[in-house]
Amino acid sequence: VKFAITCSATNPGECVYVVGSAPGIGAWDPAKALPCTTTAATFPVWTSKDVELPCEPRRLEFKVVVGPEGKVEGKRWEGGENRVAHLPSGSAKKAATVSCSWGVGEVYVI
């Protein structure tokens, strides 16, 4: 699974992270959050590397976090309820992209 997060709420030296219910995205520990990267050409879309998640449960809860690259302190958690992605069956072996935007509740699984 890969994450594509649209977020322009970053400052220079900051990164977008995904943290949530599965071990591959930190198991709710911001120190183990999955970092996303962007470039001048792709900003404000931040993408993660592919991460292997358990086949079950297919319901994945997560939050988007913004903060200094490589540091635990100073991270800003996105407000609101946890995001929920319903992953397709067998997604651990299939490519899927979870897409969302900072501050917007919708989550898309492609």
Side-chain angles (χ1 to χ4, degrees), residues 3 5 16-36 51-54 57 59-65 75 77-78 81-85 87 98:
F3 290 85
I5 312 296
V16 170
Y17 299 86
V18 177
V19 65
S21 57
I25 56 172
W28 294 117
D29 181 351
K32 297 177 183 173
L34 179 67
C36 299
V51 63
E52 195 167 317
L53 299 175
R59 183 179 191 274
L60 178 69
E61 288 192 45
F62 68 98
K63 291 285 246 187
V64 177
V65 181
K75 288 185 178 168
W77 290 68
E78 182 179 33
E81 299 292 320
N82 292 345
R83 294 177 176 276
V84 176
L87 302 176
V98 176

Side-chain angles (χ1 to χ4, degrees), residues 43-55:
F43 183 83
V45 177
W46 296 74
T47 53
S48 74
K49 64 178 181 162
D50 287 320
V51 63
E52 195 167 317
L53 299 175
C55 291

